Amino acid sequence: MAPKPQKRKRAKHAKTKMPLPVGEEAEPLNMESMGHPEIYPLVLTTKTQEIFNCRVDEDVTEEQPYKLIKKEDIFADFANRAAVSDFYPVKKIVQEYPGDELLLVYDRDFKYGLNFYVIGTEEGKENYLNPPELPEEQEEYKDHIPEETYIYKPPISKPWVSLGSEKEIEEESVKESTKQITYMISRKRSEFGAPIKFSDQNASSVKDAYIECTAYPDKNFTLKQLERDVGMQVVPQIKETSTQTRWTCPKNATTQYYPREFLEEEKEALGQSKTLTEFLNGVCTSVEIALQQNEIMNTFIHDWKCLAEEEGTFGDKTDTHLKEYQSFTDLHSLTEKMITCVSWHPVIYGLIAVSVAVRLSFEERVHFSGKLLLQPSLILFWSFSDPIHPQLMLESPDDIFCFQFCPTDPNIIAGGCINGQVVMWDITAHADRIENIKAGGSRSKKVTLKPMFLLEPESNKEEMYIRHCAVSSIESGHRKVITDIHWLPDTFEINRLGNVFENRSGISCQLVTCSADCTICFWDIRPQKAVTPQPQAEKKKEESIEIPFDIPSTFLHLDLSWKPLSKIRLSKGETTLDHCPTKLSLSEDNLLYKAQEKILAQSKAVKAGEMNPYQNLENALSNILKPIDDFCTKFFVGTEEGEVIYTDWKMERDPETGRFMAKKPVSLYTVHDGAVHTVQRSPFYKDIILTVGGWNVAIWKEGIMTGPLLQSCCAPKRYTSGHWSLTRPGVFYIGREDGYIDIWDLLEKTHEPAQSQNICITMIMYIKPWTFSAKQQFIAIADYYGTLHILEIPWTLSHPSTNEVSSISHYFEREVKHLEYVEQRKNIREQERREMELELEKKKVKTFQKSKEQLEAELKMDYESYLELEKNILSNLGLTKVKDSKSYMELI
Amino acid sequence: MIGNDHAEVEETLKRIQSHKGVIGTMVVNAEGIPIRTTLDNSTTVQYAGLLHQLTMKAKSTVRDIDPQNDLTFLRIRSKKHEIMVAPDKEYLLIVIQNPCE
């Protein structure tokens, strides 16, 4: 089996190597491909079949499908029919056929594609004819096939037939157009692997170190993009438009509304409805619980915070002494002087004004009156920057015993003289001198210190004094020394009858003075409208008097013709001795110390805008004033006898005479043993007044008529001056006659002063504290020898503790309640006393009413009991015998 | 009967007013119109209007969180005093108290 196919293969191989010529004279197609190279398929037509006697199904049948055909016959056919012959394709085979007869086989099944085929080799013929082995071989071969796996038949190579694909391949293939350059670089073997050293080189420095190939636009390479890939999307079309509303002219529109309210009847009706009652009953309990909760305890209190004192203390906490800061003495004066009144300048820092008076008793004054006339009576302005020279000196006709800065204009000063005159100064012209105090320090260095008596008489000592503007009329004013002067605040005005009106002028234009002639006068600094011919004549006379040129004409209208607006006499009733007032305290006291900002604002306004209202006092009168109702017109007065009077300044009509008379005082208390020299309202509470006089201190509450809230016991030394502390509500300072200052602190002790400190060796005449800032508080103490001491108040005394105001107000309330309790107790005691008396009376009456029979019965009983007693005693003694046996018998 | 109720109403209000620290008491209807008050008219009207709105808001807040809940009492504590509002279907009782001394 094997060798035969191999044979065929070899034969096949040999044939394929030959190149295939394309033409008609091609080798006849043989069945190489089927493994039979000797088989040449033929198509035989019917005619050919007849010629060669191989007609289908007649000569050539299934049993005998072959026919041997002689070669000569085929050649004859060729000669006859030439190309038409069916054997023409195999002509060559036939010619080369070695044998004589060719085998022609009828291919019934078209096995080889055509209906006949010729076997071209002898061997093949023989094989065909003698095929017994073949079928067996084929059978065997066929049997073998299912048992064996597929035998790999390598593809038999065939001559390639070109179909035109070489062209495409040629086009697509990449061929090098240019010949590639080859470089051969060689290097010495020894240099391989040697360490490399790199170094930098600037390319521009070395020639030809680099070759530049600059880019240039080459048209050959510019491509026009004829095609582009772009993405597209469909979106809805959006269009934006806007419009503006028409804006007509803007108008101010206002809406006014009022709340809905029920009418009275509706309210009543609702109030009586049942639903309201039910609601209130239901809700009342919870409301009351809530209210009581709050009453019991304040749950929101920060206990820890409340415990602590304020931490920001300035200075030492343990330091409680007043520290000496500065002291001023007038060294220029010839006679010994004492200070009568002290006042801090309300606006300027470090400026204090002091009024000095001669230290002589009444007789001595009279004695030395001539000498005294030559000496000027002054108010000195001291500044912290210059302890030796006073800044300003205001001259007055006589010694000033009290003075005050005007609260609305600190350049106006009013003072009360010893002769009963009210003196006015206007220092507006010199205001700039005192305003820049600190700059004045350099001036003092230039001026050398010289006592006044060394100065030449022609020196300008006269120019240093500022003369007063106006003095009151001598006849119609006070007759004796003016002990107290106050400016009325600019909130109200008083007319002749004491009725209170609104003050439209915005300035303080009225004063109140009290003097030792038992009168209290109200003064108005504005020119009076009432003009009578007589005063005019007087005025003319006075006008002829020369007025020095440097005096401002502010109060010219008042000069020497100034009459008080009204006079109130503090009479004691029918007796001729009247109360002699020493100090006043009005209900609406100018809290000068607190009005600093107000004054600053006012003075600025004055400077900025119109003229000083004090220059135009006549305008002030033209306002029609509105009376103020419910104004408390009562005030406290302290007298020389040590009484504290609470009285009214409103005049009332005396029913008998029809004239206007002062009302009787509301209350009067004799509390002090000496003259009351301080009547002062507390800066914190409007209705608490401190009065100091004699040897004790009293604190009053306005409206409590029963007595003082606190009355201290007698001190060892006389109290000569006093003042509330400006920042601590429970602290006040009392000056003694031995130069000590007692500092009282109501939170610490109420029966004696908390501290005592020595200031000077002599009597303290006046105390005036002043606050400049939260950290600096000074107290000015004036003594009898004319020295003004300025001390600094330590932090503990100037800074109030938290809740101090409320604690002190509680204290006062407790004291008020205590007074009420005392009153009640008094009443109760009175009642008890009366009851006891009544009972005694009753008892006395009862004893008389006991009847005689009763007395007799009582006597009898007494006698019988006595008899029994006698018997018992005797029997005990054994003196009676008879009764013993009797008793024994009775027993049996 | 009516007189009794009236007296009772007055007495209750007086009792509340006499508590320590109470500044004012007022009864306001469901719309915020005052019915009874111890303060002056302008203050009353102001308190009534503002507190009525606040009470409504508080009530709605409570109900929104839990519909079965309802506002029973409202207390507003401020620096100076405490305002207590007792709401009801038809009326509002407002009490202003100063709890501290």
Side-chain angles (χ1 to χ4, degrees):
Chain A
M1 265 67 62
K4 277 192 187 157
Q6 276 178 4
K7 241 203 232 173
R8 284 177 196 143
K9 221 204 273 180
R10 268 184 251 125
K12 211 179 17 176
H13 270 289
K15 277 183 182 169
T16 47
K17 270 188 180 172
M18 289 159 65
L20 266 167
V22 181
E24 281 183 8
E25 291 185 352
E27 275 286 306
L29 203 69
N30 62 354
M31 287 293 110
E32 275 173 50
S33 54
M34 287 180 80
H36 294 280
E38 72 280 5
I39 291 169
Y40 298 94
L42 272 179
V43 176
L44 291 178
T45 55
T46 356
K47 196 163 185 206
T48 318
Q49 284 174 25
E50 283 173 15
I51 296 168
F52 289 102
N53 299 321
C54 52
R55 283 176 286 245
V56 178
D57 293 330
E58 284 179 16
D59 299 316
V60 183
T61 57
E62 232 176 310
E63 291 94 29
Q64 203 182 345
Y66 60 89
K67 188 116 189 198
L68 287 161
I69 298 172
K70 289 181 185 170
K71 220 168 147 178
E72 292 119 16
D73 289 327
I74 298 171
F75 281 128
D77 189 38
F78 285 148
N80 293 334
R81 294 198 293 164
V84 181
S85 167
D86 292 327
F87 285 99
Y88 190 76
V90 294
K91 183 182 175 182
K92 225 181 182 180
I93 304 295
V94 171
Q95 284 170 347
E96 286 169 1
Y97 197 74
D100 281 327
E101 285 180 339
L102 275 100
L103 185 66
L104 179 77
V105 182
Y106 168 61
D107 191 0
R108 194 192 180 90
D109 299 321
F110 287 86
K111 205 167 154 190
Y112 297 105
L114 298 168
N115 58 352
F116 281 93
Y117 62 85
V118 164
I119 295 181
T121 57
E122 280 283 328
E123 292 166 11
K125 181 171 103 181
E126 276 180 27
N127 283 338
Y128 186 80
L129 285 172
N130 306 317
E133 294 167 20
L134 279 171
E136 286 171 5
E137 285 174 18
Q138 281 180 3
E139 280 176 296
E140 283 176 280
Y141 193 71
K142 279 177 188 170
D143 287 334
H144 276 286
I145 286 170
E147 288 173 23
E148 286 175 18
T149 52
Y150 177 74
I151 298 169
Y152 167 66
K153 287 183 185 169
I156 305 162
S157 62
K158 290 182 195 151
W160 181 67
V161 178
S162 166
L163 294 166
S165 58
E166 305 98 53
K167 257 194 227 171
E168 283 173 28
I169 292 168
E170 282 243 358
E171 276 174 23
E172 289 295 316
S173 64
V174 174
K175 285 175 197 140
E176 288 167 0
S177 54
T178 55
K179 195 178 160 208
Q180 278 183 339
I181 308 166
T182 45
Y183 284 100
M184 199 182 90
I185 305 162
S186 62
R187 200 175 174 199
K188 266 204 238 173
R189 183 94 208 274
S190 57
E191 285 172 18
F192 275 99
I196 298 165
K197 272 191 203 158
F198 284 115
S199 63
D200 286 333
Q201 197 184 55
N202 196 354
S204 54
S205 58
V206 181
K207 237 187 176 182
D208 294 335
Y210 71 101
I211 297 169
E212 220 178 9
C213 303
T214 49
Y216 60 94
D218 193 350
K219 275 191 187 162
N220 300 331
F221 294 101
T222 51
L223 288 172
K224 215 176 178 185
Q225 196 173 27
L226 297 170
E227 266 180 22
R228 200 210 284 214
D229 273 324
V230 169
M232 305 279 286
Q233 188 187 9
V234 172
V235 287
Q237 233 182 359
I238 298 172
K239 196 169 134 188
E240 271 186 35
T241 54
S242 61
T243 179
Q244 200 168 19
T245 52
R246 244 184 314 148
W247 188 55
T248 50
C249 72
K251 258 189 284 183
N252 279 331
T254 55
T255 331
Q256 191 171 5
Y257 60 92
Y258 56 89
R260 278 186 299 171
E261 278 174 357
F262 283 135
L263 302 166
E264 280 302 318
E265 307 92 40
E266 285 176 337
K267 277 192 191 170
E268 285 294 315
L270 275 169
Q272 290 172 9
S273 63
K274 221 181 175 189
T275 46
L276 187 67
T277 326
E278 281 167 15
F279 158 69
L280 278 177
N281 287 333
V283 135
C284 200
T285 4
S286 47
V287 168
E288 289 202 322
I289 289 172
L291 287 171
Q292 277 163 7
Q293 269 179 2
N294 283 331
E295 281 164 28
I296 295 166
M297 192 181 131
N298 184 4
T299 51
F300 292 98
I301 274 185
H302 266 266
D303 291 323
W304 188 244
K305 269 192 200 168
C306 291
L307 200 59
E309 286 284 318
E310 229 179 80
E311 281 176 15
T313 51
F314 186 74
D316 201 0
K317 248 194 175 167
T318 54
D319 181 21
T320 49
H321 269 299
L322 303 168
K323 280 173 290 222
E324 177 94 17
Y325 187 81
Q326 220 168 20
S327 66
F328 301 103
T329 322
D330 187 16
L331 302 165
H332 292 286
S333 64
L334 297 169
T335 51
E336 288 153 352
K337 298 249 172 119
M338 66 175 179
I339 296 177
T340 49
C341 187
V342 173
S343 180
W344 293 85
H345 196 278
V347 179
I348 299 172
Y349 168 86
L351 195 65
I352 185 165
V354 155
S355 66
V356 286
V358 206
R359 217 187 315 146
L360 300 167
S361 70
F362 187 68
E363 291 94 23
E364 286 166 347
R365 267 181 196 265
V366 170
H367 190 65
F368 291 114
S369 55
K371 216 206 285 187
L372 287 174
L373 270 174
L374 293 172
Q375 278 168 36
S377 316
L378 301 170
I379 292 182
L380 304 170
F381 276 62
W382 294 103
S383 152
F384 282 178
S385 58
D386 190 356
I388 300 165
H389 303 277
Q391 301 298 314
L392 281 182
M393 292 192 270
L394 305 180
E395 195 200 344
S396 83
D398 220 332
D399 283 342
I400 300 277
F401 268 73
C402 56
F403 72 97
Q404 211 183 47
F405 284 93
C406 174
T408 44
D409 187 355
N411 292 325
I412 311 262
I413 301 143
C417 229
I418 195 170
N419 57 4
Q421 279 183 316
V422 180
V423 188
M424 298 284 290
W425 286 272
D426 184 358
I427 56 165
T428 335
H430 306 274
D432 49 348
R433 244 218 277 178
I434 53 171
E435 255 168 30
N436 308 323
I437 289 295
K438 298 248 167 105
S442 56
R443 255 195 295 134
S444 65
K445 284 175 191 166
K446 291 178 193 168
V447 180
T448 51
L449 168 63
K450 271 187 192 171
M452 209 153 98
F453 54 86
L454 286 179
L455 287 169
E456 289 134 27
E458 285 96 44
S459 68
N460 7 346
K461 61 178 187 227
E462 288 292 328
E463 285 178 25
M464 287 196 305
Y465 300 151
I466 297 165
R467 199 181 166 275
H468 49 88
C469 256
V471 286
S472 67
S473 153
I474 298 170
E475 303 93 25
S476 44
H478 290 289
R479 308 275 155 113
K480 286 198 193 160
V481 58
I482 293 179
T483 47
D484 200 11
I485 185 167
H486 282 282
W487 284 90
L488 288 181
D490 57 350
T491 48
F492 65 93
E493 269 186 25
I494 296 182
N495 76 344
R496 282 171 172 270
L497 303 172
N499 297 324
V500 178
F501 292 91
E502 244 182 39
N503 184 339
R504 291 273 180 90
S505 48
I507 52 169
S508 286
C509 46
Q510 288 180 336
L511 299 163
V512 57
T513 57
C514 67
S515 104
D517 63 355
C518 311
T519 54
I520 295 172
C521 283
F522 285 92
W523 306 79
D524 196 320
I525 60 174
R526 297 171 294 191
Q528 300 302 312
K529 274 186 186 165
V531 173
T532 53
Q534 211 180 13
Q536 258 185 356
E538 281 180 44
K539 266 191 191 168
K540 279 186 187 166
K541 274 194 209 163
E542 281 146 17
E543 272 175 29
S544 59
I545 296 168
E546 260 181 40
I547 299 153
F549 60 92
D550 59 346
I551 289 172
S553 57
T554 332
F555 299 114
L556 207 56
H557 53 271
L558 298 170
D559 203 5
L560 287 175
S561 60
W562 197 9
K563 283 194 196 146
L565 199 59
S566 66
K567 233 185 207 181
I568 300 169
R569 182 160 281 273
L570 292 173
S571 55
K572 274 191 194 174
E574 279 119 30
T575 57
T576 50
L577 284 172
D578 297 330
H579 300 285
C580 188
T582 48
K583 280 284 189 286
L584 283 183
S585 174
L586 299 171
S587 58
E588 285 235 6
D589 210 349
N590 320 327
L591 295 170
L592 254 184
Y593 13 92
K594 282 194 180 165
Q596 259 188 344
E597 296 96 21
K598 196 172 102 179
I599 288 172
L600 275 172
Q602 268 186 343
S603 58
K604 274 182 194 162
V606 160
K607 280 178 193 168
E610 315 114 9
M611 300 198 304
N612 193 340
Y614 283 99
Q615 311 293 335
N616 263 8
L617 286 168
E618 286 168 7
N619 289 345
L621 276 178
S622 54
N623 300 329
I624 301 167
L625 304 166
K626 196 176 76 170
I628 303 177
D629 310 317
D630 306 333
F631 197 87
C632 182
T633 54
K634 301 193 178 68
F635 59 101
F636 279 87
V637 182
T639 66
E640 266 202 53
E641 283 92 40
E643 293 152 346
V644 176
I645 302 172
Y646 187 50
T647 182
D648 199 335
W649 74 59
K650 243 188 190 164
M651 305 271 229
E652 61 172 6
R653 243 176 212 284
D654 191 20
E656 297 164 12
T657 54
R659 280 184 307 152
F660 280 104
M661 280 199 38
K663 282 186 183 169
K664 283 214 181 121
V666 177
S667 64
L668 191 154
Y669 293 97
T670 313
V671 160
H672 301 284
D673 304 314
V676 175
H677 54 74
T678 305
V679 177
Q680 204 184 52
R681 280 180 198 253
S682 168
F684 291 88
Y685 312 102
K686 273 207 169 150
D687 51 359
I688 303 285
I689 294 117
L690 173 79
T691 56
V692 182
W695 278 265
N696 58 357
V697 177
I699 295 180
W700 307 79
K701 188 169 168 105
E702 194 169 354
I704 307 292
M705 294 300 132
T706 42
L709 295 183
L710 172 77
Q711 190 180 344
S712 76
C713 59
C714 285
K717 294 282 173 182
R718 204 152 53 101
Y719 287 146
T720 49
S721 63
H723 204 283
W724 283 102
S725 163
L726 298 176
T727 47
R728 286 193 64 184
V731 171
F732 51 91
Y733 306 97
I734 310 279
R736 302 211 305 230
E737 64 173 350
D738 56 353
Y740 275 76
I741 183 163
D742 281 347
I743 302 169
W744 287 67
D745 187 352
L746 289 175
L747 284 179
E748 243 184 84
K749 291 185 234 186
T750 53
H751 61 283
E752 60 174 20
Q755 274 179 45
S756 218
Q757 188 176 342
N758 191 338
I759 307 291
C760 53
I761 50 172
T762 177
M763 189 161 69
I764 291 178
M765 296 293 293
Y766 210 89
I767 297 176
K768 192 98 190 212
W770 196 250
T771 319
F772 284 117
S773 68
K775 293 178 185 167
Q776 227 183 14
Q777 211 184 52
F778 291 112
I779 184 164
I781 297 174
D783 69 6
Y784 188 62
Y785 283 166
T787 315
L788 179 71
H789 305 267
I790 311 275
L791 296 110
E792 198 170 338
I793 299 177
W795 179 263
T796 44
L797 280 177
S798 65
H799 209 77
S801 56
T802 46
N803 309 328
E804 189 162 326
V805 178
S806 49
S807 310
I808 298 286
S809 54
H810 284 158
Y811 166 73
F812 288 135
E813 276 169 30
R814 281 200 305 270
E815 290 299 319
V816 167
K817 281 189 190 153
H818 172 249
L819 279 173
E820 284 169 13
Y821 175 73
V822 166
E823 274 299 309
Q824 277 179 11
R825 287 299 303 175
K826 265 192 202 167
N827 290 340
I828 290 170
R829 288 253 175 77
E830 272 290 320
Q831 257 194 329
E832 277 179 1
R833 209 155 32 95
R834 262 183 273 132
E835 276 171 13
M836 273 178 66
E837 277 179 15
L838 275 171
E839 272 189 41
L840 277 169
E841 290 271 333
K842 276 184 191 169
K843 271 186 191 166
K844 281 183 196 167
V845 170
K846 270 184 192 168
T847 46
F848 280 130
Q849 276 175 0
K850 263 190 187 165
S851 62
K852 270 187 182 173
E853 295 99 13
Q854 274 182 333
L855 277 167
E856 273 183 24
E858 275 177 15
L859 280 168
K860 205 178 178 184
M861 275 181 65
D862 282 336
Y863 185 62
E864 278 173 16
S865 60
Y866 167 72
L867 283 174
E868 278 204 38
L869 181 70
E870 195 186 14
K871 269 186 203 168
N872 286 336
I873 289 171
L874 284 173
S875 61
N876 286 338
L877 285 172
L879 292 170
T880 53
K881 288 171 196 173
V882 181
K883 283 171 187 171
D884 277 346
S885 56
K886 215 183 182 179
S887 60
Y888 180 73
M889 284 286 280
E890 280 171 357
L891 278 169
I892 293 169
Chain B
M1 202 33 195
I2 294 170
N4 236 6
D5 285 345
H6 187 65
E8 224 183 301
V9 161
E10 294 300 318
E11 194 230 303
T12 315
L13 285 174
K14 224 187 232 173
R15 201 169 70 233
I16 293 177
Q17 180 69 26
S18 63
H19 267 269
K20 188 175 168 201
V22 170
I23 301 169
T25 316
M26 59 188 94
V27 179
V28 169
N29 84 334
E31 291 180 332
I33 307 172
I35 297 172
R36 282 263 184 285
T37 174
T38 59
L39 300 169
D40 58 285
N41 200 27
S42 52
T43 320
T44 306
V45 152
Q46 195 177 21
Y47 268 104
L50 293 167
L51 285 168
H52 167 255
Q53 286 177 25
L54 185 65
T55 315
M56 291 300 122
K57 188 74 181 180
K59 197 175 202 164
S60 71
T61 308
V62 169
R63 297 289 286 259
D64 275 349
I65 292 169
D66 179 10
Q68 283 167 3
N69 208 354
D70 197 8
L71 180 72
T72 49
F73 209 78
L74 182 65
R75 275 166 93 161
I76 303 165
R77 183 67 174 248
S78 75
K79 263 199 260 187
K80 294 187 186 169
H81 36 246
E82 178 156 339
I83 305 170
M84 289 168 236
V85 180
D88 186 65
K89 247 208 282 187
E90 295 151 32
Y91 300 101
L92 221 62
L93 175 66
I94 301 169
V95 180
I96 306 157
Q97 188 194 28
N98 183 7
C100 326
E101 291 306 296

